Structures are given as structure tokens and as C-alpha cells.
Amino acid sequence: MTRTPASISRACLCLATAAGAVLLGAGPAAAHVEVEADRAQALAENVTLTFNAESESDKAGITSLRVVLPKGIAPADVTYEDGPEGWTFGTSADGYTVKGPAVAVGADAEYSVRVRQLPDARELAFKTLQGYGDGRVDRWIELGASSDHGHGHGNSAPVLKLEAAAPGATVKSPAPTASPTPATSAAARPAPEASPASTPAAGAAVESGGLSAAGWTAIAAAAVAVVAALAFLLRRRSRAS
């Protein structure tokens, strides 16, 4: 059968389309933030959560991850366990931030925290703002688009699915409110001591119900001057007489 130029063109187009689809399917998945737990069970205590933030930038490394905690987990319930070298941990009113020197460009940032107790829920979403050294911010904050494995994709927040609570498990009393660190809370810093220049001089202290020491000194000097003047006048009169 003789193929016409038109049929040959259509066949080439179909092959090119199929090849493109295969290449797209074999490409890397969209970057996102994942969360895993050593015990993903409602009301479990002292659970370690590990977060892995994939990089979407080929120009700058990841420098910070700001997390808004889900309902049932307070910032005081979270402690830092491990993360990139040089990174630090600090809490805020609704969550926490881990940050530090930028990781290598294109590298993922992984860290772990310990949670005092997971709430009684079916799944937990950890909205995350992922910052880079050049000021870029990726927002993994959307809800309702988690995968079958409990990991958020696209702009979805990382989601952790929980198994039902163990029989007899109960909600523990709230943890004491954690004191803010000096680096993140100006209110926690002690008030500076007054400098010597701002304190009253010792000789200027006002006595209760009377004059200051400087006032008495001035009065005494004036009295001495009056006595000296009178003595001088008396001596002149004596000489004149």
C-alpha cells in the first residue's frame, strides 16, 4: 500500500506525541514537603516527626522552614531533634521555624522534631513556608489535595494520616507554656540597668521634708561670707576712730 505524504505526516505527529508523553511521565515529580512519623497513631506520645523539603530552585539553597501547627498541637509540645548543620529552632504563637545557613543549591532540607502527644484526629496538616537564600518563598499551605500516602503535592501542605488511637489512650494535660528564647523574644530580655549618668548624684539626693545637701552647703557659704563682711566693716571703723 502506498502511503501519501499526508498520512506519513500524521504518523510522525502521533509518534512525536507519544514520545513526549513518555518523556513527561518519566520526568521528576513536582517538588513538595513530606512528613513521616515513627508512630503515626492518634494520641501517641513522644512521637518523632521527620520533614523533608525538596528544593524547587536551581539558584539558591533552602534557608528556612516556617510551620503552622495543626489544631491539637501547641508550640510548647514540640522540641527540636535534628536538622541541617547550623540550623536553629524557635517557636511562635502558632507554630515554629527551623532556619540556618543555606543548604546546597538543589539539595533537600530534612529535619525532625519530637511532639509530646498527637491529637485525636484522622490526619494532620502542617502548613509550611519554605524560604531560600535569594528571598524566594514556596508556600505549601493548601488543604484537601493529599496523596494516598499522606504526602502533600503541588502547593498542598504536608499531611500525616493517623491510625485510630490505641485502646485506653487518653489526652494528656497541656504542657506548660514554653518560655520564649531570648533570640526571638525582646520581652524576655532583662531591663538594662540605669547608667551612672542617669542616676542622681549622691550629693544631690533630696532629704525627706528638707533641703538637699547642696542647699545646706550654699547656706553655710553665704553665712561665712556675711560674717567676713561684718568683720571687715568693724575693722575699718576701728581704724577710723
Side-chain angles (χ1 to χ4, degrees), residues 4-204:
T4 64
S7 63
I8 294 175
S9 297
R10 284 194 298 271
C12 290
L13 181 60
C14 291
L15 288 173
T17 303
V22 170
L23 291 175
L24 288 174
H32 54 279
V33 179
E34 297 181 346
V35 56
E36 297 179 348
D38 58 352
R39 285 179 297 147
Q41 186 176 28
L43 299 182
E45 298 180 50
N46 298 318
V47 178
T48 296
L49 303 181
T50 300
F51 293 82
N52 186 71
E54 298 182 3
S55 176
E56 279 197 326
S57 174
D58 57 0
K59 299 179 180 179
I62 301 171
T63 57
S64 66
L65 293 162
R66 161 88 165 92
V67 175
V68 177
L69 290 168
K71 183 179 180 180
I73 301 179
D77 295 329
V78 182
T79 54
Y80 190 50
E81 286 201 334
D82 193 20
E85 185 176 358
W87 279 35
T88 59
F89 173 88
T91 59
S92 58
D94 59 356
Y96 63 84
T97 299
V98 287
K99 62 182 180 179
V103 301
V105 176
D108 300 347
E110 182 174 296
Y111 72 93
S112 59
V113 295
R114 181 177 291 271
V115 178
R116 183 171 176 265
Q117 184 180 36
L118 297 180
D120 191 3
R122 298 181 63 181
E123 63 179 28
L124 302 172
F126 297 84
K127 296 181 180 181
T128 302
L129 300 181
Q130 180 173 325
Y132 296 82
D134 60 357
R136 169 177 173 168
V137 177
D138 291 338
R139 298 174 176 272
W140 309 105
I141 59 176
E142 294 183 4
L143 304 178
S146 59
S147 71
D148 293 337
H149 300 290
H151 305 314
H153 293 271
N155 290 324
S156 301
V159 174
L160 178 68
K161 292 186 177 294
L162 302 180
E163 298 178 358
T170 59
V171 178
K172 301 300 181 183
S173 59
T177 303
S179 300
T181 60
T184 57
S185 174
R189 299 173 186 166
E193 295 183 2
S195 63
S198 64
T199 57

